[in-house]
Amino acid sequence: PDRHRAGDTLSARNRFPGVVTSVEVDGVMALVEIEAGPHRITAAITRDAVEELDLRPGVSATAAVKATSVMVERS
């Protein structure tokens, strides 16, 4: 199957443009943190995706969020 490439249209509607603040690679997975305005979003993605997108601190990136469920707890 074809994989998404940078620039392809995604169906996610919740998009948070920002700047990558950290990338932690561990084996085949990575944690990428994006500062998007007042929000800090952490995504677990593949190492391949980090390399394909050339993600590193300081790079502009958009977190596209599509969830089938969101859990909320009272603070």
Side-chain angles (χ1 to χ4, degrees), residues 3 6 10 12 18-19 21-22 24 27-28 31 33 36-38 42 48 50 57-58 62-63 67:
R3 296 185 60 192
L10 300 177
V19 176
T21 55
S22 73
E24 296 178 25
V28 297
L31 288 179
E33 187 173 87
T42 303
D48 285 349
V50 168
T62 298

Side-chain angles (χ1 to χ4, degrees), residues 4 8-15 64-66:
H4 285 288
D8 284 355
T9 301
L10 300 177
S11 63
R13 299 286 189 263
N14 300 306
R15 303 173 65 79
V65 179
K66 186 167 187 169

Side-chain angles (χ1 to χ4, degrees), residues 13-71:
R13 299 286 189 263
N14 300 306
R15 303 173 65 79
F16 300 90
V19 176
V20 175
T21 55
S22 73
V23 178
E24 296 178 25
V25 177
D26 184 18
V28 297
M29 295 301 294
L31 288 179
V32 177
E33 187 173 87
I34 297 174
E35 187 173 319
H39 307 291
R40 191 163 287 229
I41 300 165
T42 303
I45 64 175
T46 64
R47 174 190 207 121
D48 285 349
V50 168
E51 292 171 359
E52 287 173 19
L53 295 170
D54 194 22
L55 296 177
R56 59 192 186 286
V59 169
S60 294
T62 298
V65 179
K66 186 167 187 169
T68 56
S69 68
V70 175
M71 299 170 75

